[in-house]
Amino acid sequence: MSLSARTSAGSGRPVRHRPAELVSEVEDLKDAAAHHGLPGHNAVVMTMGALHEGHATLIRTARERVGGKGFVVVTVFVNPLQFGAGEDLDRYPRTLEADLELAFAAGASVVFAPSVDAVYPGGEPQVRITAGPMGERLEGASRPGHFDGMLTVVAKLLHLTAPDLAFFGQKDAQQLALIRRMARDLNFPVEIVGVPTVRESDGLALSSRNRYLSARERRTALALSHALFSASDRLAAQEALRARAASLPGAQGRAENRAEALSRLGEARAAADAHAVAQAAEGHGAGAVRAAARAVLDDAAKADPPLVLDYLALVDPADFTEVADDHAGDAILAVAARVGSTRLIDNTPLTFGATQ
């Protein structure tokens, strides 16, 4: 399938790069790469199909990075190794025709949509990538074996597509961290590029599973993003307050002095925060940030239909272990929950101590 006169998504201008095509066989993919590939300018975007604007953003970002003459492969493959018992492999949406339209409009050179037999000839692989300790936390604890299956197919697809750059969404933050770790630990010659989460107008993170939500379930599901926004706002207020307190005379040095300075600000929020700041070694309020998110999720648990929380975790991006209340530096606030029969995840990056 070849398509040459496509329109760039959102711009109305024709895409000037090479014609796009659909391939389903490994040899055809290799032939396309040999014909169109440009050393140093080859990219891959891996998907399980049911593409949406989040995927389009990944493809457009890849196209921008490799340029008009670069080669962008979009893979569409529902990987059975990533689905555990009772999960939605058979229910997972398969919308190849719509996927092709979106992928080509966003800048794909080739869509690689192989069969299970093409990816796993002879049946499921006996040798697989193991995600290690990081893969046993959070999503790994909720979905045993999920990350082993994900890394195995990503490794295979990296070999098959041989890209210089691979683009993944930050919405799946733990997945992105594990892929980066695998590429580093196993010396894959590829740059792993994270692309910020794309959200719908109401704040819900774009996901292929959003289509399963009824109108009432969607209202409840908004608590995931609202919890993250609340936590982010709480952190921003803390950091701004600390910066003001630190600028007052006599506020330098010990946390107790900072608390006194906060009290002297004469603000209601300052008075409420003074004790917490005095208790934290350097005034970093990870506990308060967690609590702000938890309050939103607790309210959603009382909604109709209710939100059933799987986990809320404030973790170190390096290994996805929980951070201490006095944490300084980067962190990720991650949440997973069910609304009705649909399981959703979301996260936001945070930085503690940015103003100090």
Side-chain angles (χ1 to χ4, degrees):
M1 175 178 181
S2 293
L3 298 167
S4 56
R6 293 286 173 180
T7 300
S8 177
S11 71
R13 297 189 301 274
V15 177
R16 300 295 184 187
H17 52 77
R18 296 179 188 275
E21 57 187 319
L22 169 65
V23 298
S24 57
E25 300 296 332
V26 172
E27 289 306 315
D28 292 336
L29 174 64
K30 292 179 179 178
D31 289 344
H35 187 260
H36 299 301
L38 186 66
H41 295 268
N42 297 314
V44 66
V45 175
M46 299 182 192
T47 82
M48 292 208 300
L51 303 189
H52 49 64
E53 180 58 25
H55 298 108
T57 298
L58 291 173
I59 299 165
R60 286 195 292 267
T61 303
R63 173 54 62 194
E64 290 168 5
R65 281 290 302 271
V66 302
K69 294 183 179 179
F71 186 63
V72 177
V73 180
V74 175
T75 68
V76 175
F77 179 64
V78 182
N79 178 31
L81 301 189
Q82 291 175 229
F83 292 80
E87 292 191 331
D88 55 355
L89 173 60
D90 293 334
R91 184 182 175 216
Y92 197 87
R94 291 160 173 83
T95 57
L96 184 58
E97 287 301 318
D99 294 346
L100 296 176
E101 291 293 328
L102 183 147
F104 294 148
S109 305
V110 165
V111 171
F112 178 48
S115 66
V116 173
D117 288 340
V119 176
Y120 301 123
E124 291 190 359
Q126 297 300 301
V127 177
R128 308 187 187 193
I129 302 291
T130 299
M134 195 195 327
E136 298 172 357
R137 300 172 186 134
L138 302 186
E139 284 299 289
S142 297
R143 305 176 66 190
H146 166 73
F147 285 127
D148 292 356
M150 179 275 294
L151 290 178
T152 298
V153 79
V154 168
K156 284 199 68 121
L157 290 173
L158 287 175
H159 285 307
L160 294 174
T161 59
D164 303 295
L165 306 114
F167 294 79
F168 297 91
Q170 291 179 357
K171 174 180 168 287
D172 297 292
Q174 193 173 5
Q175 169 180 284
L176 174 59
L178 282 163
I179 291 170
R180 281 178 166 152
R181 188 60 187 252
M182 178 185 73
R184 183 170 65 249
D185 286 354
L186 301 183
N187 299 103
F188 279 81
V190 61
E191 178 185 348
I192 305 300
V193 182
V195 178
T197 300
V198 178
R199 298 185 179 278
E200 300 193 42
S201 59
D202 57 8
L204 190 67
L206 280 169
S207 170
S208 302
R209 291 186 170 92
N210 291 354
R211 68 187 68 196
Y212 298 149
L213 297 168
S214 69
R216 292 171 60 233
E217 289 171 341
R218 186 185 176 91
R219 285 194 293 273
T220 297
L222 289 174
L224 273 75
S225 56
H226 290 174
L228 299 179
F229 299 155
S230 179
S232 182
D233 289 345
R234 184 68 182 85
L235 176 60
Q238 284 186 171
E239 297 295 336
L241 192 59
R242 289 195 196 99
R244 290 187 63 187
S247 69
L248 293 177
Q252 303 301 319
R254 298 187 310 144
E256 289 83 354
N257 290 337
R258 292 188 181 192
E260 293 169 6
L262 286 170
S263 296
R264 289 201 299 276
L265 287 174
E267 299 176 355
R269 172 164 261 166
D273 284 353
H275 179 69
V277 172
Q279 293 300 310
E282 288 295 330
H284 302 294
V289 169
R290 286 189 188 95
R294 174 73 67 170
V296 176
L297 298 171
D298 286 347
D299 284 344
K302 304 170 187 174
D304 181 20
L307 180 142
V308 180
L309 185 64
D310 188 345
Y311 61 76
L312 173 69
L314 185 61
V315 299
D316 187 328
D319 58 10
F320 274 68
T321 57
E322 285 277 355
V323 302
D325 282 348
D326 61 352
H327 176 74
D330 293 336
I332 292 174
L333 184 63
V335 61
R338 287 189 180 275
V339 181
S341 61
T342 304
R343 186 175 185 275
L344 300 171
I345 63 173
D346 203 348
N347 72 86
T348 190
L350 301 172
T351 300
F352 290 81
T355 60
Q356 295 190 358

